[in-house]
Structures are given as structure tokens and as C-alpha cells.
Amino acid sequence: MLQQVNGHNPRSDGQAREYLREDLQEFLDGEVLLYQLDDLTRVNPVTLETVLRCLQARYMADRFYTNAGCTLVALNPFKPIPQLYSPELMREYHAAPQPQKLKPHVFTVGEQTYRNVKSLIEPVNQSIVVSGESGAGKTWTSRCLMKFYAVVAASPASWETHKIAERIEQRILNSNPVMEAFGNACTLRNNNSSRFGKFIQLQLNRAQQMTGAAVQTYLLEKTRVACQASSERNFHIFYQICKGASEDERLQWHLPEGAAFSWLPNPERSLEEDCFEVTREAMLHLGIDTPTQNNIFKVLAGLLHLGNIQFAASEDEAQPCQPMDDAKCSVRTASLLLGLPEDVLLETVQIRTIRAGRQQQVFRKPCPQAECDTRRDCLAKLIYARLFDWLVSVINSSICADTDSWTTFIGLLDVYGFESFPDNSLEQLCINYANEKLQQHFVAHYLRAQQEEYAVEGLEWSFVNYQDNQACLDLIEGSPISICSLINEECRLNRPSSAAQLQTRIETALAGSPCLGHNKLSREPSFIVVHYAGPVRYHTAGLVEKNKDPVPPELTRLLQQSQDPLLMGLFPTNPKEKTQEEPSGQSRNPVLTVVSKFKASLEQLLQVLHSTTPHYIRCIKPNSQGQAQTFVQEEVLSQLEACGLVETIHISAAGFPIRISHQNFVERYKLLRRLRPHTSSGPHSPYTAKGLPEWCPHSEEAMLEPLIQDILHTLPVLTQAAATPGDSAEAMPAPMHCGRTKVFITDSMLELLECGRAQVLEQCARCIQGGWRRHRHREQARQRRAAMLIQAAIRSWLTRKHIQRLHAAATVIKHAWQKWRIRMAYLAAKELDGVEEKHFSQAPCSLSTSPLQTRFLEAIIRLWPLGLVLANTAMGVSSFQRKLVVWACLHLPRGSPSSYSVQTAQQDQAGVTSIRALPQGSIKFHCRKSPLRYADICPEPSPYSVTGFNQILLERHRLIHM
């Protein structure tokens, strides 16, 4: 059983109230944390007081958006906040994996609708209903949504389509300032109040790219052209042309500086919306060229001069009323600007044409002063209404795409908010009637529909009490008798209407309605309707005439005679057309009244809303003065009560706001079966008993049952993965229920399912990535091996070539060196004289020619430098060591070292001898360079060799005889 919202507590009422007060006080004491609550369903307890305090805390902390279950609450900041609506923030919400995790924003609703369109879950088309009082920020919210869709839904693939998307986006955004200039006005509650309703259809193609848009309008308050309440203004466009026109344009349009117009009240008041250049530039982007713009503004200037025509009462009823003296100039100027003959214009307003009898005889009757004023006002309203409809058609032709180029749409509904003024008439009745229908749509979709659908699907549910406005709708539009039917009946009767008589009929025929009241102290005929947002008092004076909205045929014929190009297009002279303004005299069909037309268009709008997935944004006005950082609790509290916000929070917190058919549920979440553990097969899941229905009447449902069972078995795994360590599985309520034909889930469970689905898709993506990476790694390894083999072969070939070149070079060097060494040895030997051989042969103790002596002589010749140096060393080596060194260096034959003796010269001996040529006498020292050419070059250099044969001077000694 779900948690009961209005369940009975077993405690006594006094104890319950005391406990509630303590709980409420404990909650209110923590106001410092209230601004952190992004969702009003988290407040506890859910009462008007707690919700009010939470909204106030967030408003003072500059947090103007708060979720209320299935609804977004938007507080008007009454100050510019550029960073809150920047394109960077739009892209951040669009790129977020889970936008609901971000702070509440109007972009969250926009992104949710856009993703719903991409998911193709029925119903695919989306709609956003922006509601609230006048001045709560509905127009600004719709404008921000259009900018958001223009940014995120315009991502073409080519440069050509990029240009087309930019043009469509610019035209859609430029339709706002044009429609606001011609359809918005300053009222008591709002400086930029929409005086018409509009439904903007943003058209998307199969790639979810914006291809166009269409605008449908409802009930323009055209009476504002000729009648403005105290402290209110006319439509913005009249003030724009009076303040923004150049000197030449003022001369062309006859708008001198400081001119006074009776239909232009409060001209000294300057508003942000009085920007003429923005409107002109936007019209230019929509395809309205400069000459056409000037023609439009000239007609509007003509309407201002038409309003200055005042008539004086005629003393003779047979004579028409004449314009006042100061109004004759206005008649001439108005006829000039409108392209009408002056006398025909004045005669049409002064004289009424009557057709009577079977012969349709024409009678001309002068009109009294009041009727002349009425006909003048009717002419102005007729021209402005046709001009507004023409602008809407031009905008649609500029931004609307072909039927074949778009498949889905997102609708933005921006209607006038609930209104209650001191003097309320037919316009306020229609506006509040539209708000009642939208409130019923909201109640039917989110409150009553949920409860009824839960009961049909077999869900256990404790019903929540909510405010139903069906009684008020029965009073306004019910059958067979209602306020609308009585007003239409008065229009059909061929008699003068009486305000007191209409009041009496309404009070008598509808006395049993609980939503009808009357003020006995009021002197003016009126009646009171208790709306969902509060009681409103409507005056019956002029109610029937406004409902008839009569347009005399002579006024239409007058405008068909205009020579102005724009008016000629607005009022074509086509005899085949029979408009409502000129019904056939023989026709018995009832005249289509304002209420009837508005009711038909409203029913058509509701059919569109019922065929889409609706989303709601409740705009709240913190104060009626339009001041920033000012939160008036009484005014906000009345709006919370009016929109049924507390009941919405109750339903959203306790119920299942998301419903998905079995087929769509299986198609979207069948991937979760990959997460199903093998040990959970069978009816062991805690969601099995509560999740699946006990019957499946259709075979298709029976086929889907095992798939849903498998999906439900994965929920414990998902819940455990998402649960914190301190949470217990038993304390968690069942966040989903499977009905007979649909699966009901909460926002938290939807988020859990989406996380699981994303996890499975991520695993699949990782598997694909792993396979691709393995394939790519293998390919790269194979390519590397092939490259390494090629590189090794190239290096081997290069190495062989290099070695061959080095070998050839070494061979050349070797041969050259050998040749050079031989040549040097030969040249050095050739320079030696025969002194040595002669000296040895003539010595007294000559050596024998034994082999040992020959070898000894060769050793002396080959290794004489080192041996002689060591043998003649004066110090450092003993006599015995010197002998050993000489013996080792000269490679003497083996034998006793004692058999060889070397006699060295002492330092005191006189004379030095040369090894090459022994001197024949005693000399002291010889250090002159040898004249031989190659005496200083050694063919075999060695670190132990001594170069320069004649430079080595030794002590004089004699050879030792062996």
C-alpha cells in the first residue's frame, strides 16, 4: 500500500495537530536550508505554509526555479539576469547526461521535451503549457524556450543547411517582437501583458532539427484599440511609432511632436517595449519590406487620428451628428491616411443603413452621438483585427515549413493569465474561462487521470482530495443553460439588451450553482463567478453588444473603397465572399458570436493538447508592484491556492507520475537482462509479487510477461548499486508497479532504469571498443613486424655495403702503407754508410762468423736504442740488472748470463762515439743535425723507440768481444 496522503491517524485530533505544529516549527526553524530544496516534494509536511516559506527562501537566494513534482514553478525575478539564460548555459543543459541532476530551470523542461521527441515514445509530440497570472513571466518564459530550441535543435550537417537553419531560427525569434508590439499592452498588473493567446508549434524533422514553426492566435483584445482602462495603455506599436518615427516619417504620417491623441493615454510613460527599431528590424527579417512597413504605420497613424473625431449631439433626430470644430482636421487627416473619401467616411459613421421587408428596401437613419462613437470604434477595431490577422499569416508564411519536411512538433502555449479588475467584462470572462479549461486539463491529466488509471490498472492507491473546477465550468459553458448560452440567446433576440434584465436571467436560471454569487450592495448590474483562482465580479452592461461584435455592412463596403494598398488587400471586393459581418438577410442561421468562436477555438486547442505529452510551468508573481527582491506572502499564497500546487505535490510525491506501456517498456529496457544475475532466476525478486499482474488477458501480454519478469529481476542489482552503505533494502518502498497494460514508475526508478540502461550500453560499447582495439593492435603489431623485417633487411644491406667500402678502403690504405714502409726502410738503409761493417771487420778482437755471433749482431742492429740507453744509464739500475736488461732486449741466446759482459763507459771517460760512424779521435759532443734526408723518420714508430739516428749521442765505449 502506498503511503497515504490524507490517511487517518489513530491519535486524537488534538495530539495530531500538536505534533504537526511541532514538526512544522522544527522544519521552519531550519529556514537557512530551505533554499537548497530543489523539489517541493521534499518538504515535510507538505502544506501551503511550508511551500510558501521554501519558495520565499529560494527567491531571496536568487533561485527562481523550483520543481514541484511534475511541474516547474517559476518566480518572476523582476530584474535582468543575463547569465541565467546565456547560450553557454543552454548548451550545458543540452549536453548534460542527466539534466534533472542540474539545478531546476526552464531549460530542463525544454531539454526533457526535446529528448522525448528523440526517444520516439508515444505520444511523440510534446506541449508545454505556461500558465500564471498576468505579469508572472509567461511571455518571457515562452521566449526563453524558443531561444533554447533554436540553439539546440539547429545543428545541420552541411554549410547550406546551416544557412537555412540560421534563417529559420532568426525568423522564429523575430516573430516575438512583432507579435508583442501588435498584441501586448501595459495593464495594471503587467507592463508587457499579452492581450491575446498564442500556440506556437515548433516543427522538427526526422533528425530532430528545427525546420519551421506555426503560430495560432486566440481572442485578440481588439477593444483596447478604442477603449483603455484608467492607468493602462494601448498596444505598444502606437507608442513606438509616436516615439521612434523620424522627422520625415512624422510629416508623412501626420504625427507632430507633442500631439495629443485620445486613444493614446499615458504617452509620457516610457517602457522597455517602446523600441521602434527592434520592431522594424524584426519585420524586415520576416519578409515585410520597408514600403509595406511604412504603409502599416501610416494606417495605424490614421487610426489614432480617427480616435480624435468627436461628435456633438444633434438637436434634431432627423439630422446626423456633426463632428466638433476641433475634430474636422482629424476627419480630413484620417481619411487621407486611410485612403478614404472624406465625405464618404463621415457619412458612413453618421448614418446607419437599414434593410427591411421582402424587397430589401434601404432606409437611412441618422445615428445618435453614442452610436456614432460606437461605429467609429467599430471601424478602428475592424481595421486593427484584420491587420493583426494579416501579420500572423505573414509570419506563418515566413516561418512555416512544408508538411512533408517535418514529422513531429513541440508546442508552446502562452495564454493570458487569470484576470480580476475593478471593471470586468466579456474579455475577462473569456480569459478566465480559458484558464478554467487549462486548469481542468491539468487536473484531468495529473490528478484525476492518475487516480482513475491506477484503479483501472489494479494499483493499490489511497485517493488524494483535490480541487475540482468542473462546477465552475458547468456554470460558464454547461448545457443546456449556462452563462454563455444565456448571453448568446440575448444576442439572437431581436430586442434591445438590458443589463439589469440579463443579470436577473442569469441569477434566476443558474441559482443552484455553487459557483455563482451576487453582490446585493452593488448599484451596477453584475454577477459573481467563483473561479478556481478566486471570485470575480462581471458587469453586464455592454456584455451582449461585445458578444455580438456587430460590424455594420456599410463599414465593410467603406473599407473596400479605400485606395490604400494595404487596406485593399485586407478588404478585397469579392462578391462571392460572404463574411460574418454581412450575413444574408434570408438566412436563418444564428450569428457566430465572440463567445462561440472563442469556445470553438479553445476546444480545438485542447484536442491538440490531449494528443501530446503535456508539461507544465507555473509562473508565480512575487508582488504586484514588479519590484525585485520583494516577496509578498499574501499574493503568492493566493496564487498557490489558485493553481492547486499543493495537491500537485501530494500526487507527485505519493504516486507514479510516469506510465509506459508494456511493449515500449520491454523495447527500451530489455537490455537490462544482461545485468540479471544467474542466481536470481525464478520468483526470488522482491519486485516479482508486486511488479507483475496476476492476469494477462491477451496473448501479446503473455509473451511480454517473461521479458518483464527478467527486467524486474535486475532491479535489486540496480538498487544495491545505487544505494548508499547506510540504506537498508527493506526500508525502500516499491518504486514501480506493473499494471494490466502499463508499467508505473516514479522519477527515481526511471532514473535508476536509465542508469542501468546506460551501464549496459557502456558495457556493450566497451566490448566493441575492446574488439576493435584488439583488431587494431594486431594490425599494428603485424605492420610493425613487417616494418621491422624491412628495416632489418635494409640495415643488413647497408651494413654489407658499408663494410665492403671499409674493406676496400682498408686494403688500399694497407697496400699504400706497406709500400711506403718498404720505401722508407730502403731509403734509410741506403743512407747508412759501410762504416759499421768495416769497423766490425777491422776490430782487433773481431767476432767469429758463428751463427750465434751473427744473431747477436743482428739483434744489436735491430734493438740497439733501448739496450744502449739502459746500459748507459748512470743511476737507478744496478750493474747486474743492467746486464739482464741488455740480455733480454737483445734476445741473446740462452745460456749463462755470466758468459756475456757489457762494458759501459763511465761518466768521467772522455769522448763520445757515434753508432753509425765511430769517430777516429776523441770528441766532446756531437749534436748537429744529420745532413741525411731521411735520418729523422722511423718507418715503424713505437712509444719505446727513439727517432733520429744521429741525434742519439752515447758515451764512448768499445764493443765487447764475445
Side-chain angles (χ1 to χ4, degrees):
M1 193 71 170
L2 295 176
Q3 182 181 2
Q4 295 186 359
V5 178
N6 293 332
H8 179 70
N9 198 310
R11 302 180 181 181
S12 62
D13 295 340
Q15 293 178 347
R17 284 195 296 269
E18 183 65 26
Y19 174 76
L20 185 60
R21 265 196 305 271
E22 294 177 359
D23 191 12
L24 178 61
Q25 186 62 38
E26 181 182 356
F27 172 76
L28 296 179
D29 289 341
E31 185 178 357
V32 67
L33 300 177
L34 285 179
Y35 71 92
Q36 299 179 359
L37 297 178
D38 293 338
D39 199 327
L40 294 179
T41 57
R42 295 171 56 189
V43 300
N44 187 26
V46 182
T47 61
L48 278 174
E49 290 78 10
T50 56
V51 170
L52 186 65
R53 296 291 294 274
C54 181
L55 290 177
Q56 183 177 8
R58 291 182 62 81
Y59 182 76
M60 301 310 293
D62 287 345
R63 300 188 178 186
F64 307 108
Y65 293 100
T66 309
N67 292 324
C70 55
T71 307
L72 178 68
V73 179
L75 294 170
N76 194 339
F78 290 121
K79 62 180 180 180
I81 311 176
Q83 68 275 9
L84 194 60
Y85 307 99
S86 62
E88 292 77 13
L89 191 62
M90 296 180 188
R91 297 185 183 94
E92 178 181 353
Y93 276 84
H94 179 58
Q98 296 179 344
Q100 62 273 14
K101 291 291 187 181
L102 302 177
K103 293 181 180 179
H105 202 284
V106 65
F107 297 154
T108 307
V109 180
E111 181 61 23
Q112 182 180 0
T113 57
Y114 187 68
R115 294 191 181 188
N116 288 351
V117 171
K118 295 180 67 175
S119 66
L120 300 179
I121 298 179
E122 293 292 339
V124 179
N125 297 325
Q126 309 289 309
S127 62
I128 302 177
V129 180
V130 185
S131 61
E133 283 192 2
S134 178
K138 301 185 300 299
T139 302
W140 173 259
T141 301
S142 301
R143 190 187 307 170
C144 292
L145 287 171
M146 291 181 65
K147 289 183 179 179
F148 175 79
Y149 290 124
V151 170
V152 304
S155 53
S158 63
W159 176 254
E160 232 178 86
T161 54
H162 177 69
K163 285 307 212 179
I164 297 175
E166 275 189 352
R167 185 173 67 251
I168 294 173
E169 171 190 347
Q170 191 63 33
R171 288 182 178 180
I172 292 174
L173 296 179
N174 284 326
S175 65
N176 272 332
V178 176
M179 299 193 70
E180 289 181 10
F182 286 85
N184 291 19
C186 176
T187 62
L188 293 175
R189 296 188 174 185
N190 186 8
N191 292 339
N192 191 28
S193 176
S194 298
R195 308 318 301 162
F196 70 103
K198 64 175 177 288
F199 182 72
I200 304 174
Q201 189 182 68
L202 303 178
Q203 301 160 347
L204 307 175
N205 58 12
R206 297 184 182 274
Q208 288 77 46
Q209 298 174 0
M210 189 183 302
T211 60
V215 181
Q216 185 176 359
T217 59
Y218 304 94
L219 191 64
L220 174 69
E221 190 187 14
K222 56 186 178 182
T223 57
R224 183 169 291 270
V225 176
C227 181
Q228 303 85 28
S230 178
S231 301
E232 292 191 356
R233 302 203 318 174
N234 208 326
F235 291 103
H236 294 322
I237 188 62
F238 291 105
Y239 298 89
Q240 291 181 5
I241 62 176
C242 290
K243 295 181 180 181
S246 62
E247 293 297 331
D248 295 339
E249 291 171 344
R250 289 182 182 276
L251 293 176
Q252 295 177 12
W253 304 337
H254 297 272
L255 297 174
E257 193 77 31
F261 298 98
S262 59
W263 287 354
L264 202 68
N266 304 314
E268 71 283 350
R269 187 175 180 182
S270 297
L271 299 177
E272 183 183 355
E273 290 75 19
D274 296 340
C275 188
F276 190 41
E277 291 301 325
V278 174
T279 304
R280 300 198 69 162
E281 185 178 356
M283 294 175 70
L284 196 62
H285 283 284
L286 291 174
I288 305 175
D289 54 11
T290 303
T292 306
Q293 293 182 25
N294 294 332
N295 198 355
I296 293 172
F297 302 141
K298 184 183 69 170
V299 171
L300 294 178
L303 295 183
L304 291 178
H305 286 281
L306 185 65
N308 282 352
I309 301 176
Q310 303 295 330
F311 293 92
S314 177
E315 298 179 358
D316 187 2
E317 295 182 356
Q319 297 297 325
C321 297
Q322 296 299 324
M324 295 183 178
D325 295 337
D326 56 350
K328 293 181 180 180
C329 180
S330 299
V331 175
R332 185 166 49 254
T333 306
S335 61
L336 178 64
L337 293 175
L338 296 177
L340 299 171
E342 181 180 349
D343 53 346
V344 178
L345 170 63
L346 192 59
E347 180 182 352
T348 304
V349 176
Q350 291 173 332
I351 299 175
R352 177 160 55 101
T353 303
I354 302 175
R355 296 178 181 270
R358 294 182 178 179
Q359 303 297 329
Q360 291 293 306
Q361 296 181 357
V362 179
F363 299 92
R364 296 167 59 87
K365 179 182 178 182
C367 300
Q369 178 186 6
E371 188 174 353
C372 289
D373 294 340
T374 302
R375 293 168 71 86
R376 175 203 61 199
D377 298 347
C378 183
L379 181 63
K381 291 187 293 184
L382 178 61
I383 294 176
Y384 195 83
R386 288 286 185 92
L387 177 60
F388 185 80
D389 293 339
W390 177 81
L391 281 174
V392 173
S393 64
V394 170
I395 292 174
N396 283 331
S397 63
S398 176
I399 64 178
C400 188
D402 297 334
T403 308
D404 300 334
S405 62
W406 62 277
T407 56
T408 57
F409 69 87
I410 299 176
L412 301 179
L413 179 60
D414 176 17
V415 295
Y416 8 61
F418 182 82
E419 293 185 350
S420 178
F421 300 115
D423 187 8
N424 302 289
S425 187
L426 184 67
E427 294 83 8
Q428 282 70 40
L429 179 62
C430 292
I431 288 173
N432 295 337
Y433 167 52
N435 281 273
E436 289 283 353
K437 295 289 288 185
L438 293 176
Q439 177 67 14
Q440 187 193 44
H441 176 265
F442 174 76
V443 169
H445 186 269
Y446 274 107
L447 305 182
R448 185 175 56 201
Q450 280 192 356
Q451 294 184 4
E452 293 177 355
E453 190 171 11
Y454 293 163
V456 171
E457 292 287 338
L459 275 72
E460 298 177 355
W461 175 257
S462 60
F463 290 93
V464 176
N465 297 325
Y466 57 88
Q467 183 181 0
D468 192 359
N469 63 339
Q470 185 60 46
C472 183
L473 287 173
D474 292 339
L475 174 64
I476 298 175
E477 64 169 3
S479 180
I481 300 177
S482 62
I483 294 177
C484 292
S485 63
L486 292 175
I487 296 176
N488 288 334
E489 186 178 348
E490 286 289 331
C491 295
R492 288 192 297 267
L493 296 177
N494 190 12
R495 66 181 184 185
S497 176
S498 172
Q501 186 178 1
L502 179 61
Q503 176 189 0
T504 303
R505 289 196 64 188
I506 291 176
E507 291 179 352
T508 303
L510 303 172
S513 176
C515 296
L516 180 66
H518 58 277
N519 188 1
K520 297 181 179 180
L521 301 178
S522 176
R523 296 181 180 180
E524 299 178 356
S526 62
F527 61 92
I528 297 176
V529 177
V530 182
H531 292 280
Y532 77 96
V536 180
R537 179 168 170 257
Y538 300 97
H539 294 276
T540 56
L543 202 63
V544 176
E545 286 74 14
K546 289 183 177 180
N547 188 37
K548 288 181 180 179
D549 193 19
V551 178
E554 52 267 25
L555 295 183
T556 305
R557 289 193 293 267
L558 170 67
L559 294 175
Q560 289 175 350
Q561 300 176 17
S562 174
Q563 299 302 316
D564 184 80
L566 179 62
L567 294 180
M568 291 173 64
L570 297 179
F571 299 92
T573 57
N574 190 351
K576 296 182 180 181
E577 293 183 356
K578 286 191 177 181
T579 61
Q580 184 200 342
E581 294 88 2
E582 191 177 359
S584 174
Q586 303 295 331
S587 177
R588 296 182 179 271
N589 296 329
V591 178
L592 192 60
T593 61
V594 172
V595 172
S596 300
K597 291 189 293 184
F598 182 72
K599 184 179 179 180
S601 61
L602 193 58
E603 290 295 335
Q604 181 182 3
L605 172 64
L606 290 174
Q607 289 180 2
V608 175
L609 294 181
H610 284 301
S611 64
T612 61
T613 301
H615 306 265
Y616 293 91
I617 299 178
R618 297 288 193 181
C619 297
I620 302 295
K621 183 168 59 175
N623 59 84
S624 57
Q625 291 77 25
Q627 298 178 357
Q629 294 294 317
T630 302
F631 193 92
V632 181
Q633 295 189 2
E634 293 76 11
E635 297 181 7
V636 177
L637 185 60
S638 63
Q639 297 177 64
L640 294 181
E641 292 175 340
C643 65
L645 190 60
V646 177
E647 287 79 8
T648 304
I649 297 172
H650 278 308
I651 285 287
S652 300
F656 302 101
I658 301 171
R659 300 170 297 276
I660 305 176
S661 65
H662 288 171
Q663 182 68 29
N664 293 337
F665 182 80
V666 171
E667 288 180 358
R668 185 165 184 84
Y669 299 112
K670 61 184 178 182
L671 295 174
L672 296 179
R673 293 186 298 169
R674 295 173 177 265
L675 301 177
R676 178 183 175 182
H678 297 287
T679 58
S680 62
S681 60
H684 300 293
S685 175
Y687 296 92
T688 303
K690 297 181 181 180
L692 283 177
E694 297 179 356
W695 65 92
C696 292
H698 304 290
S699 59
E700 184 179 357
E701 299 294 333
M703 294 174 59
L704 295 176
E705 179 180 356
L707 299 177
I708 297 177
Q709 181 73 258
D710 292 342
I711 296 174
L712 291 178
H713 282 152
T714 64
L715 294 182
V717 180
L718 297 176
T719 305
Q720 293 175 3
T724 57
D727 295 339
S728 59
E730 294 77 14
M732 297 180 62
M736 73 175 299
H737 193 107
C738 189
R740 300 176 183 176
T741 60
K742 297 180 181 179
V743 177
F744 296 81
I745 57 179
T746 60
D747 290 327
S748 60
M749 178 51 67
L750 178 64
E751 180 181 349
L752 193 64
L753 291 173
E754 289 295 329
C755 290
R757 184 172 180 269
Q759 179 182 353
V760 174
L761 292 176
E762 183 180 359
Q763 292 177 357
C764 296
R766 288 180 177 177
C767 182
I768 295 173
Q769 289 177 354
W772 165 249
R773 287 171 180 170
R774 284 194 301 271
H775 170 72
R776 186 177 61 178
H777 180 72
R778 291 171 181 172
E779 288 294 323
Q780 291 177 352
R782 184 181 61 81
Q783 293 175 1
R784 283 196 301 269
R785 287 195 299 269
M788 290 174 62
L789 292 176
I790 295 174
Q791 292 175 0
I794 294 174
R795 284 196 299 267
S796 176
W797 180 79
L798 292 176
T799 303
R800 288 197 301 270
K801 288 294 182 181
H802 184 64
I803 291 175
Q804 291 175 1
R805 288 196 297 270
L806 291 179
H807 188 268
T811 303
V812 172
I813 294 172
K814 178 181 177 181
H815 293 166
W817 167 253
Q818 290 176 351
K819 291 169 63 177
W820 179 83
R821 186 183 59 179
I822 294 172
R823 181 174 179 81
M824 291 299 103
Y826 169 76
L827 293 176
K830 185 178 180 181
E831 289 183 354
L832 295 176
D833 47 17
V835 177
E836 291 84 351
E837 291 80 358
K838 183 179 179 180
H839 174 76
F840 286 125
S841 60
Q842 295 176 2
C845 299
S846 61
L847 298 175
S848 63
T849 59
S850 63
L852 181 61
Q853 293 177 350
T854 304
R855 288 182 56 194
F856 180 73
L857 182 60
E858 292 176 357
I860 292 176
I861 294 173
R862 185 173 65 252
L863 297 176
W864 61 265
L866 182 60
L868 292 180
V869 169
L870 294 178
N872 289 277
T873 300
M875 296 182 301
V877 181
S878 62
S879 176
F880 179 73
Q881 291 178 342
R882 290 180 183 176
K883 294 179 180 181
L884 290 179
V885 169
V886 172
W887 177 77
C889 292
L890 297 180
H891 297 282
L892 297 177
R894 294 182 180 179
S896 176
S898 58
S899 60
Y900 305 102
S901 63
V902 178
Q903 182 178 357
T904 61
Q906 301 295 327
Q907 293 182 357
D908 54 353
Q909 290 179 346
V912 179
T913 184
S914 172
I915 191 172
R916 292 193 175 185
L918 296 177
Q920 296 299 322
S922 61
I923 60 176
K924 287 294 182 181
F925 196 78
H926 176 73
C927 60
R928 189 175 56 185
K929 184 176 180 180
S930 174
L932 299 179
R933 182 178 180 182
Y934 301 101
D936 298 330
I937 298 175
C938 179
E940 293 182 358
S942 174
Y944 304 103
S945 62
V946 180
T947 59
F949 296 120
N950 293 328
Q951 292 182 8
I952 301 175
L953 301 178
L954 302 176
E955 294 181 355
R956 186 176 180 179
H957 64 280
R958 292 177 302 176
L959 294 175
I960 302 174
H961 297 275
M962 301 299 299

